[in-house]
Amino acid sequence: MFWIDIDTKDDLKRANFLIVKNSVKVVGDGIVSRHFNRKISTRISAFLVNKLTPNQMTAISFLVGIASALVAFIDIRLGGLIYQLSSILDGCDGEIARASLKTSKLGGYIDSMLDRFVDFIFLAVLAITHPITLIPALFAIFGSVMVSYSTEKYRADFHENVYAKIPKMRYLLGKRDERIFIIMIFCLLGLVYEMFVIIALLTNIRVMLTMHIVSKAKRCLANSEKS
């Protein structure tokens, strides 16, 4: 919590930035979000917090993500850059919602669902335009969906945030921001097949590690309760 007097437009800009910066998620961000995306998204959110609603920001992020897939048909390098931009903008709706006290479960639900559409469509476009990548592409797409499913399934079954409850989960690579950044790098290099192989391995190994970590944590909790 902080206090700031607002006397000028510059004061308002500074206050908006501080409010947004203090509204960033405490847990759940990947390495790329913490050290790169948030440095940009918070500045965008500070500029837009009094101009757009969280739902409007979600729609913009979604449309930019779809545009990245369409552009990838023509130029995968530019498509990869726009895909990364959509990842940065994806953090803005939550920042705006928390900063303006407009968070809602429905908004988070819709945002999560639209993210899955964007990820599938972008990877599907790369698989269609590079048919030789079909097998690793299928595993990469499946793994990408399963990463999100594994954490949301935990929330649904145990009614708690897995990253907050099990700190080890914060250090597993493969979150959405990390995947998109890797995809962008490999798109810029023109290494689509290699990208699909790495994403397939990264996501599916992460899901298996998630099951192991969760199982171990719940067994330890059960044993401690018995004792």
Side-chain angles (χ1 to χ4, degrees):
M1 305 296 291
F2 64 92
W3 175 271
I4 181 171
D5 286 322
I6 306 297
D7 298 316
T8 67
K9 290 184 178 181
D10 287 338
D11 289 341
L12 180 59
K13 290 179 181 179
R14 187 160 65 94
N16 279 338
F17 178 72
L18 290 173
I19 291 171
V20 169
K21 188 175 180 180
N22 281 275
S23 300
V24 172
K25 287 193 301 184
V26 178
V27 296
D29 276 351
I31 294 173
V32 175
S33 281
R34 287 197 303 271
H35 299 289
F36 180 70
N37 288 4
R38 292 293 184 186
K39 295 183 184 301
I40 302 173
S41 66
T42 50
R43 297 184 182 278
I44 297 173
S45 297
F47 177 74
L48 297 175
V49 66
N50 296 323
K51 299 179 177 67
L52 294 177
T53 67
N55 289 340
Q56 289 171 334
M57 195 65 238
T58 296
I60 291 173
S61 172
F62 173 71
L63 292 175
V64 172
I66 296 300
S68 71
L70 297 177
V71 171
F73 268 116
I74 304 168
D75 187 337
I76 64 167
R77 292 172 177 80
L78 181 57
L81 288 172
I82 298 175
Y83 191 32
Q84 173 60 26
L85 174 61
S86 76
S87 178
I88 294 172
L89 295 178
D90 185 49
C92 292
D93 52 5
E95 292 165 357
I96 291 173
R98 289 185 291 273
S100 58
L101 303 180
K102 294 179 180 178
T103 58
S104 70
K105 291 183 178 179
L106 178 60
Y109 169 77
I110 292 174
D111 178 49
S112 180
M113 295 296 289
L114 292 180
D115 286 347
R116 305 290 82 74
F117 273 110
V118 169
D119 293 345
F120 172 78
I121 292 172
F122 188 86
L123 293 177
V125 165
L126 293 187
I128 291 170
T129 55
H130 299 77
I132 194 173
T133 67
L134 181 58
I135 294 178
L138 290 175
F139 282 96
I141 293 171
F142 173 76
S144 297
V145 173
M146 285 298 295
V147 167
S148 299
Y149 178 78
S150 62
T151 54
E152 292 303 319
K153 179 63 174 172
Y154 181 96
R155 186 192 299 271
D157 287 349
F158 299 107
H159 310 291
E160 56 193 16
N161 187 318
V162 68
Y163 299 112
K165 192 66 177 180
I166 308 176
K168 285 183 179 179
M169 285 294 300
R170 303 176 194 178
Y171 304 105
L172 283 184
L173 294 176
K175 297 184 182 70
R176 185 172 188 261
D177 58 299
E178 296 161 345
R179 298 196 308 270
I180 291 178
F181 190 79
I182 291 171
I183 291 169
M184 177 197 68
I185 295 298
F186 276 84
C187 283
L188 290 175
L189 296 173
L191 302 175
V192 178
Y193 183 87
E194 291 80 357
M195 178 274 293
F196 275 128
V197 171
I198 289 175
I199 295 297
L201 291 173
L202 179 65
T203 54
N204 287 283
I205 289 174
R206 177 194 162 90
V207 171
M208 289 186 284
L209 288 174
T210 297
M211 291 189 290
H212 171 72
I213 292 172
V214 169
S215 299
K216 186 177 179 180
K218 291 303 177 182
R219 283 197 297 267
C220 290
L221 178 61
N223 291 335
S224 64
E225 290 177 348
K226 289 179 182 179
S227 59

